[in-house]
Amino acid sequence: MGDGSLTWLRDHNRHRVLEALRLQGRSSQADIARATGLSRTTISSLIAELKDAGLVSDVEATANHGRGGRPGVQLVLRDRSRVVVGIDFGHSHVGVAVADLNHNVLAEHLHEMDVNRHAGQALDAATRMFGEVIAEAHVDRAGVIGAGIGIPGPVDRAHGMAGSATILPGWVGLRIASEMEQRLSVPVQIENDANLGALAELTWGAGRDCSNFAYIKAATGIGAGIVVDGRLLRGATGTAGEIGHTTLDEAGALCYCGNRGCLETVAAGPAIVHLVGPVNGASLSLAQIVDHAVAGDPRCRRAVSDAGREIGVAVAGLCNLINPERVIVGGLLSRTGEVLLQPLRESIRRHAVQAAAESVEICAAVFVERAELLGSVALALLRDRVNHSSLASV
Ligand SMILES: [Zn+2]
C-alpha cells in the first residue's frame, strides 16, 4: 500500500469518526469504536488529531448522556456554525426547532392553527418561524444543512406529498417537500408522525440501545413507526406502520379510510370519547379523559384500558411478523401509563406466538408532546442513517 492509500484511509477514518459524532451526539471513545468498528488505538490517535484541528473537544459526561451509568469524559463536535431544522405540522399546530450537530435544541417555537384545512397558511407560518428560530439561535441561514418535516398522515415519498386524500384532505396535491425546499433554500425530507416518534425514541429515548422495535402512537389516530436493524421500515409506497387500519371486525363500524372495523374505530381518540360519553351534559376531550384516567376516574380508566386491549391485538400480529425487541408506546394515551400498557401487554401475551410474546418488552415512550418535533430534528440529523440511498434525494 503506497502513501497515497494510507492518507486516503486516514482521511476516510477521520470522516467516519466525525459522522459517528454527528449521528450519536456526544459520545465516549468506546461509543465511537462501537459505531465505526475502528480499534481503540486508531480512534485515540484520530481524536487527538481532530482536537488539535479544533474540530472536537472534551466535555464532562452528564447523567442524561452517560451510557451504562459510567461517568467520564465524552467528546463533542465543535462545529457551531452548522445546524439542522425540524418542522412539525400537527393537525392543529406548527412547531419549528433548530438544533446543532451535537443534538442540542437551540430554539423552538410553537404556533396553534388549523393545519388540516389551511395547508398554504401552515407552510407560510413554518417559513416565518424558520427565520425566527435561526435568528433566536444566532446562526446564519447558510449554516442550515437540512430540514426534516413531519405531517400527521402517510407520506408519498416519491413525490414529497401527503399520501392519503382521506387522512389530510386539505393537503391533497401539495408538493410539501419541493415547496418548502424552495421557500427555505435547504434540502428537505418529509416523514409521517409515527415514524418521527420512532426516530425521536431511536435517537434520544426508549429505543436508543435497540435496533429492532415498534413505536406505537396512540392518540387521536393510531400509527406505528417500525425500526428494523436501526432503520425505519417504510414499505413500497410509504404506508408501512398503518396499524390503525388493521381490520379487527369485518362487520364493525365504518372507518373514515373506507374499510370496516379498523382498530381506530374501537381504540382511537374519537372512539374513546364516544365510549365515555357526556359527563354532566358535556363531552370530554381526549386530553381530559387522559387526565381523568390518571386521576383514577373508573369510566375513563376503563375506556383507555379497553383501547389498550384492542391495540394489543393488532400489535400481537405485528410482533408475529417482525419479532421486535421492544414495543414503545407513545402518543397522548401513553400518559396514562399502566392503565393503557397493562391490558396491551396482556393482549400480546394472549394473541402473539409464545416466543415473540415472551421476548418483547412493552414500555412507555420517553417523548409525548414533543415527539414529532424532536423526530423531525432527528430526521435531519440522521439523514444518511435512516434513508435508503435511492430515496435520499426526496
Ligand atoms: Zn380504517
Side-chain angles (χ1 to χ4, degrees):
M1 195 186 265
D3 284 354
S5 318
L6 280 175
T7 310
W8 176 86
L9 185 63
R10 198 157 180 87
D11 284 350
H12 178 67
N13 287 343
R14 271 166 61 112
H15 179 71
R16 285 169 69 192
V17 170
L18 291 171
E19 283 299 285
L21 278 166
R22 177 170 66 78
L23 293 174
Q24 301 188 155
R26 55 164 69 194
S27 311
S28 67
Q29 291 206 14
D31 293 329
I32 297 171
R34 259 194 302 279
T36 58
L38 296 170
S39 75
R40 294 262 199 137
T41 325
T42 306
I43 287 182
S44 294
S45 121
L46 289 170
I47 294 289
E49 255 180 48
L50 290 167
K51 280 184 187 166
D52 285 346
L55 294 172
V56 164
S57 60
D58 287 334
V59 285
E60 281 297 313
T62 60
N64 279 343
H65 291 92
R67 279 155 223 178
R70 285 173 289 112
V73 170
Q74 291 190 315
L75 299 151
V76 291
L77 292 172
R78 290 192 59 185
D79 188 353
R80 302 287 302 186
S81 60
R82 293 190 303 161
V83 294
V84 298
V85 170
I87 300 173
D88 166 36
F89 292 108
H91 288 293
S92 54
H93 71 262
V94 180
V96 180
V98 57
D100 66 21
L101 300 191
N102 287 316
H103 300 197
N104 301 308
V105 172
L106 305 174
E108 63 181 278
H109 283 190
L110 191 76
H111 176 64
E112 306 266 340
M113 64 175 294
D114 185 348
V115 170
N116 283 13
R117 282 195 296 164
H118 303 291
Q121 288 174 26
L123 298 190
D124 290 343
T127 308
R128 175 174 48 75
M129 292 160 75
F130 174 89
E132 288 167 6
V133 292
I134 59 174
E136 194 176 313
H138 303 293
V139 289
D140 197 70
R141 193 171 260 266
V144 182
I145 61 170
I149 293 183
I151 62 168
V155 169
D156 171 356
R157 288 174 55 81
H159 301 101
M161 54 202 277
S164 166
T166 57
I167 294 176
L168 270 180
W171 291 63
V172 170
L174 188 64
R175 291 184 177 259
I176 306 161
S178 57
E179 180 78 25
M180 288 307 288
E181 226 155 52
Q182 263 177 15
R183 289 167 180 244
L184 308 180
S185 305
V186 297
V188 154
Q189 296 182 84
I190 170 170
E191 197 50 84
N192 81 58
D193 53 352
N195 281 353
L196 291 178
L199 277 185
E201 297 297 327
L202 175 69
T203 313
W204 300 291
R208 193 172 170 151
D209 54 347
C210 188
S211 46
N212 290 287
F213 69 85
Y215 166 86
I216 308 295
K217 178 176 178 180
T220 304
I222 302 173
I226 300 167
V227 172
V228 176
D229 295 334
R231 285 168 177 268
L232 275 178
L233 179 76
R234 294 192 171 99
T237 58
T239 64
E242 285 298 319
I243 197 170
H245 301 284
T246 303
T247 306
L248 294 189
D249 177 4
E250 247 183 308
L254 200 59
C255 179
Y256 64 92
C257 76
N259 295 332
R260 293 186 77 137
C262 294
L263 173 62
E264 286 205 3
T265 64
V266 290
I272 294 173
V273 168
H274 180 74
L275 185 64
V276 170
V279 172
N280 299 330
S283 193
L284 298 176
S285 69
L286 186 63
Q288 288 170 324
I289 291 172
V290 165
D291 288 344
H292 287 319
V294 170
D297 176 84
R299 276 168 71 88
C300 294
R301 285 174 88 89
R302 180 59 192 257
V304 171
S305 67
D306 282 1
R309 198 188 64 225
E310 300 287 357
I311 293 168
V313 174
V315 174
L318 184 64
C319 289
N320 285 351
L321 295 178
I322 67 163
N323 185 205
E325 293 164 47
R326 205 168 285 169
V327 170
I328 300 170
V329 185
L332 187 55
L333 291 182
S334 72
R335 287 227 316 256
T336 63
E338 286 300 307
V339 177
L340 179 77
L341 293 187
Q342 200 273 332
L344 200 157
R345 228 177 255 129
E346 186 55 36
S347 265
I348 292 174
R349 238 192 325 266
R350 283 168 64 100
H351 299 288
V353 297
Q354 196 181 354
E358 279 173 358
S359 63
V360 69
E361 181 196 349
I362 318 294
C363 65
V366 170
F367 304 110
V368 178
E369 277 78 11
R370 291 164 78 226
E372 292 80 18
L373 184 56
L374 291 175
S376 62
V377 169
L379 179 67
L381 281 169
L382 309 186
R383 63 193 189 280
D384 335 332
R385 180 164 148 197
V386 296
N387 283 320
H388 299 278
S389 54
S390 61
L391 295 172
S393 60
V394 172

